[in-house]
Amino acid sequence: MSRMKSPLMFLLILTTITFATDHVCCQSIYASENPLPVGSNVTLYSQAVVTTGVWMFETNLIVMIFPGSIIIHDTWRDRVSYNSTSSALTIKSLRLGDSGLYTLQTVNSFRGQLTLSVQVPISNVTLKARATNLVEFNDTAVLMCSVSSGSSLSYVWLKGHHEVTAGGNVQLSNGNATLTIVSVTLYDEGPFKCSVSNGVSNEISPSVYLNISYGPSNTTMIIMPMVSPYIYRTGSNIMLSCTTVSKPPAMIQWMYNGMYLNEYGSQIQLYNITESDSGSYKCVFHNTVTSRFSSVSSMLWMLDPLEVVVVNHTGGPPILHEPFTLHCEVTGTVDRIQWWRNWQLISPNDTIIFNMNNKTMTFNPVQYSDNGQYRCQAFNSVSNMTSSPYTVDVKYGPGMPTIMGPSVAKTGYSITFSCHASSNPPSHYRWYFNDYPVANTSEYVTPPLTRNMSGMYTCLAYHDITGQNKTAYTMLTVVDPIEDVQVETTMYPPKEGYPYMLTCNVTGPADYIYWMKDGMKLHKDNRTVFNMDNKTVTFNPLKRNDTGYYNCMAMNAVGNMTSPPHKLLVYFGPETPVIHMPSFAETGQFVTFTCSAMSVPPSQISWWFNGTEVANTSVFTTHCLSLNMSGEYTCMAYNNVTGKNSTSFKMLTVIEAIESVMIKNNTIPIDTESFTLTCEVVGPYDMIYWMKDDMYLNINSSDANPHMHYHIENDTLHFTPVTMYNDGSYRCVAANQAAKHKSPTYMLLVNCEYCRKQC
Ligand SMILES: *[C@@H]1O[C@H](CO)[C@@H](O)[C@H](O)[C@H]1NC(C)=O
Ligand SMILES: *[C@@H]1O[C@H](CO)[C@@H](O)[C@H](O)[C@H]1NC(C)=O
Ligand SMILES: *[C@@H]1O[C@H](CO)[C@@H](O)[C@H](O)[C@H]1NC(C)=O
Ligand SMILES: *[C@@H]1O[C@H](CO)[C@@H](O)[C@H](O)[C@H]1NC(C)=O
Ligand SMILES: *[C@@H]1O[C@H](CO)[C@@H](O)[C@H](O)[C@H]1NC(C)=O
Ligand SMILES: *[C@@H]1O[C@H](CO)[C@@H](O)[C@H](O)[C@H]1NC(C)=O
Ligand SMILES: *[C@@H]1O[C@H](CO)[C@@H](O)[C@H](O)[C@H]1NC(C)=O
Ligand SMILES: *[C@@H]1O[C@H](CO)[C@@H](O)[C@H](O)[C@H]1NC(C)=O
Ligand SMILES: *[C@@H]1O[C@H](CO)[C@@H](O)[C@H](O)[C@H]1NC(C)=O
Ligand SMILES: *[C@@H]1O[C@H](CO)[C@@H](O)[C@H](O)[C@H]1NC(C)=O
Ligand SMILES: *[C@@H]1O[C@H](CO)[C@@H](O)[C@H](O)[C@H]1NC(C)=O
Ligand SMILES: *[C@@H]1O[C@H](CO)[C@@H](O)[C@H](O)[C@H]1NC(C)=O
């Protein structure tokens, strides 16, 4: 290997080899490392085997290569070595100035190039801020990044872990080494770093914290409890709190209606508020760093709850068919009023009108149906209140009065008139008699009446609320009562066939009289005539059946009176006498005659025989009769009041008497044998009968008991035969015109051997 001796020689060689430069191009050259720091070693090599050529840096020759020898330029001799085997060029202790284009040129065949970068490593990256305490919006942040050493530097800015790029208020300058944030905001606060790098090293600065003061802003006020709008019931408690966004934290001061309060907290509490606490509440924030102020305010209204709600009427009372107004008296602020009737909400209509924001309710007109309990209910934002009931009681009247009382009355008595007119409340009353006031009550009790108190009684009903009055009247007639009534007669005696008159004697005024007989009303007929307004009754002619008890009754408007009974007994007769006496009688008897005749009063009776009075009583008993006492007996009746007499007569025939009657038997009655009874009569007789056990025996035995066999012949009774069936008591009867005479009893007991044995 030899060394290049002079530049002249080098130039000579160069001209020879540049010769072929156009022919071969662009074979690759590699570096052992690229880029690389100053002071390090590098080996540049190629795949080609170079026998003749040069290594050049930029335009400077480093080494010339010849077959079998090399020449290294003097300027590189200390730091360069060339391996002829591998054609690799090694440079030691690289310098910054070694950066540049390296070329390997072979003669006529090959040329390769490589740009080598030699850099100073970065050290001691520092970050400086012009200021770190910044005010939002006012200040610009300037951050400067620097290194003690390093080349080819590139900068990356970091805020926290995020890269900061230019744009907006962020500017990069000074080859990106300076970061400028114009007019910082609170979002720019944070730790900033710069990261510096080149091809051979990288280093991050310590961080610098930008401390940004901001606010106060976004200021709010919250009021608890939350209501909208801000209307609060007095007595309650309210909390107001304010917030703001501020750094450092803002100072707070509260204001009320433009005046500062001694309140510096973020909250104030209002206890037991009153209406005078109403107003504007404001909180004022001050950031002493930013020197900025901010405030927020709210208007609050404190309202007393309604305390008194009363219904009353305005104007007069409720009078039927007239307007009537109710008023709702409310103390305090009221927003709304409602009216209730008997707990039903009232809506206005044609006859119910609301006025003055419902403070008044007018009935135009008021009616009966408006009676009831009315309440008004008032509302404000914090309360509602309902009044006590107000009772509407519609006043009316008086209607037309009605009078109760008699139209006729007795003198001496008091009577009561009462007057009533429909009305609410009850009317007042006055009574007038012929226009003179007599009472001021609805009832008027008269003094004991006299006849001159007949006349017109007027009732006046008046109503002091409606102011109306009405009158009604009634007529009264005062009548004397009937004091005595008697039936009288002037004629005596009352005789049948003659006219007769009864008179009703009345003490007092009678409007009507009528007559009664035995409790029944007496009617007129062709014989009974009433005269003088029924004062007299005349019987023409009088008859016996007019006898009875008579009353007359007198009536007037105030009563009636009946006379005591008057007994009328009509005299009449005698009628033809009636005689009771036998037509036949036996000698030796006493016979009684009776005679009677209809007559009032009873007649005197006398008996006559053969022209001689034999008795003067109605009952006449003869002496012991003898045959010569047969004849005509006459009875005469005489009424000494009517002066009349009347007679009748009857015949009596006296016959000879039957003296005795007996039953005789001639044999003993033996069973199944014939037996005969005989009736023995002393004196004349017309006929004989037989009796058994008080019963008459028939003539014909077959009609009787079938076991009895008998026949009757003149004065004998034949049993054919006699049996025990004939046992009994027997009688015979002898009769004449005057009487029947019975024999004593004959007991028949039939003799019966056989029967007794049986017993
Ligand atoms: C460069 O090479 C020399 C000698 O060949 C050696 O002493 C030195 O350590 C090398 N430098 C580096 C950075 O490797
Ligand atoms: C030169 O290069 C060859 C092949 O790469 C190698 O074997 C040899 O050791 C090198 N010579 C020197 C002095 O480094
Ligand atoms: C880093 O740089 C600063 C100023 O730029 C200097 O004061 C300091 O000494 C340097 N430190 C080193 C190790 O170079
Ligand atoms: C912010 O800027 C405004 C004018 O733009 C100024 O009035 C105000 O004083 C500044 N605030 C601060 C804290 O510098
Ligand atoms: C600065 O950084 C941007 C990317 O953020 C990059 O596009 C630009 O090339 C850089 N400027 C310099 C001078 O390095
Ligand atoms: C403040 O209010 C604005 C507008 O309402 C909203 O966009 C913003 O996010 C709010 N800021 C904060 C910190 O709440
Ligand atoms: C609330 O205030 C009223 C007067 O405004 C007072 O009479 C009442 O006692 C107070 N109530 C309470 C609970 O303090
Ligand atoms: C109702 O009103 C009448 C007069 O119109 C008055 O005399 C009376 O006192 C009032 N009643 C009430 C409870 O206010
Ligand atoms: C008046 O009363 C009517 C019926 O109750 C109701 O609808 C209306 O809201 C009320 N008005 C006021 C101002 O109270
Ligand atoms: C008005 O309303 C009242 C009760 O609410 C009712 O008694 C009355 O008859 C109504 N009048 C009319 C004209 O509808
Ligand atoms: C009226 O007030 C009572 C409490 O005093 C309440 O219970 C009721 O709901 C209220 N009525 C209305 C309609 O607001
Ligand atoms: C009754 O009413 C009439 C008018 O209708 C009046 O002239 C008279 O005075 C009233 N009488 C009484 C007693 O009130």
Side-chain angles (χ1 to χ4, degrees), residues 485-536:
V485 183
Q486 295 292 336
V487 175
E488 287 172 2
T489 180
T490 49
M491 304 165 102
Y492 196 81
K495 289 193 228 169
E496 187 177 47
Y498 298 90
Y500 193 75
M501 187 174 83
L502 293 174
T503 303
C504 187
N505 236 330
V506 180
T507 315
D511 295 340
Y512 186 70
I513 292 172
Y514 68 87
W515 288 87
M516 288 185 297
K517 179 191 176 203
D518 298 331
M520 306 278 281
K521 187 166 181 193
L522 192 61
H523 296 285
K524 81 168 203 171
D525 54 29
N526 54 7
R527 217 170 42 77
T528 311
V529 180
F530 300 103
N531 279 316
M532 292 176 67
D533 292 334
N534 292 4
K535 252 193 135 136
T536 65

Side-chain angles (χ1 to χ4, degrees), residues 85-102:
T85 313
S86 61
S87 310
L89 179 72
T90 300
I91 307 167
K92 293 186 286 191
S93 303
L94 285 167
R95 299 174 191 153
L96 210 51
D98 294 336
S99 299
L101 185 69
Y102 288 80

Side-chain angles (χ1 to χ4, degrees), residues 201-407:
S201 65
N202 175 28
E203 193 177 320
I204 297 176
S205 69
S207 64
V208 169
Y209 196 89
L210 286 187
N211 187 26
I212 301 186
S213 299
Y214 51 84
S217 66
N218 294 29
T219 307
T220 60
M221 183 186 285
I222 293 170
I223 301 159
M224 294 300 291
M226 262 194 243
V227 293
S228 177
Y230 295 133
I231 302 176
Y232 293 93
R233 187 188 173 107
T234 56
S236 56
N237 304 332
I238 306 176
M239 191 179 79
L240 293 80
S241 49
C242 281
T243 63
T244 193
V245 175
S246 175
K247 186 181 168 188
M251 320 256 295
I252 305 176
Q253 192 167 9
W254 288 84
M255 294 180 85
Y256 169 66
N257 285 344
M259 311 271 285
Y260 278 102
L261 299 175
N262 234 5
E263 293 284 350
Y264 302 98
S266 67
Q267 294 185 344
I268 58 171
Q269 195 99 30
L270 304 180
Y271 295 103
N272 194 12
I273 53 173
T274 64
E275 279 196 347
S276 61
D277 292 327
S278 299
S280 164
Y281 285 81
K282 189 177 199 176
C283 59
V284 179
F285 288 101
H286 179 216
N287 184 328
T288 52
V289 176
T290 64
S291 307
R292 291 193 193 118
F293 290 87
S294 176
S295 67
V296 61
S297 65
S298 297
M299 193 68 204
L300 267 59
W301 289 271
M302 318 306 186
L303 204 56
D304 283 332
L306 295 167
E307 268 169 14
V308 184
V309 178
V310 177
V311 175
N312 201 355
H313 64 270
T314 57
I319 295 174
L320 187 67
H321 303 320
E322 288 180 24
F324 171 65
T325 299
L326 286 179
H327 181 240
C328 185
E329 289 166 14
V330 189
T331 52
T333 308
V334 60
D335 298 338
R336 197 160 61 86
I337 290 176
Q338 286 181 340
W339 288 87
W340 299 83
R341 172 174 179 262
N342 299 341
W343 289 118
Q344 290 213 305
L345 194 60
I346 301 173
S347 12
N349 61 22
D350 287 354
T351 55
I352 296 183
I353 297 141
F354 288 4
N355 271 319
M356 292 170 64
N357 294 328
N358 296 5
K359 273 208 160 112
T360 66
M361 174 168 66
T362 301
F363 301 86
N364 194 4
V366 76
Q367 294 154 5
Y368 291 120
S369 58
D370 293 326
N371 277 339
Q373 302 229 298
Y374 287 80
R375 291 173 169 86
C376 73
Q377 185 180 21
F379 294 83
N380 67 15
S381 302
V382 298
S383 66
N384 70 74
M385 189 171 204
T386 303
S387 70
S388 320
Y390 175 95
T391 303
V392 169
D393 181 24
V394 175
K395 317 293 182 200
Y396 59 88
M400 195 45 121
T402 52
I403 294 175
M404 306 275 285
S407 55

Side-chain angles (χ1 to χ4, degrees), residues 123-124 126 128 146-148:
S123 68
N124 198 10
T126 57
K128 282 191 180 141
S146 61
V147 295
S148 297

Side-chain angles (χ1 to χ4, degrees), residues 30 64 78 95 123 200 213 246 253 264 278 292 322 337 409 452 454 494 501 556 565 572 581 595 599 650 737:
Y30 303 97
M64 285 198 310
D78 295 346
R95 299 174 191 153
S123 68
V200 297
S213 299
S246 175
Q253 192 167 9
Y264 302 98
S278 299
R292 291 193 193 118
E322 288 180 24
I337 290 176
N452 59 12
S454 296
M501 187 174 83
N556 69 12
F572 65 90
M581 57 176 276
C595 176
S599 168
K650 211 165 172 188
Q737 278 175 300

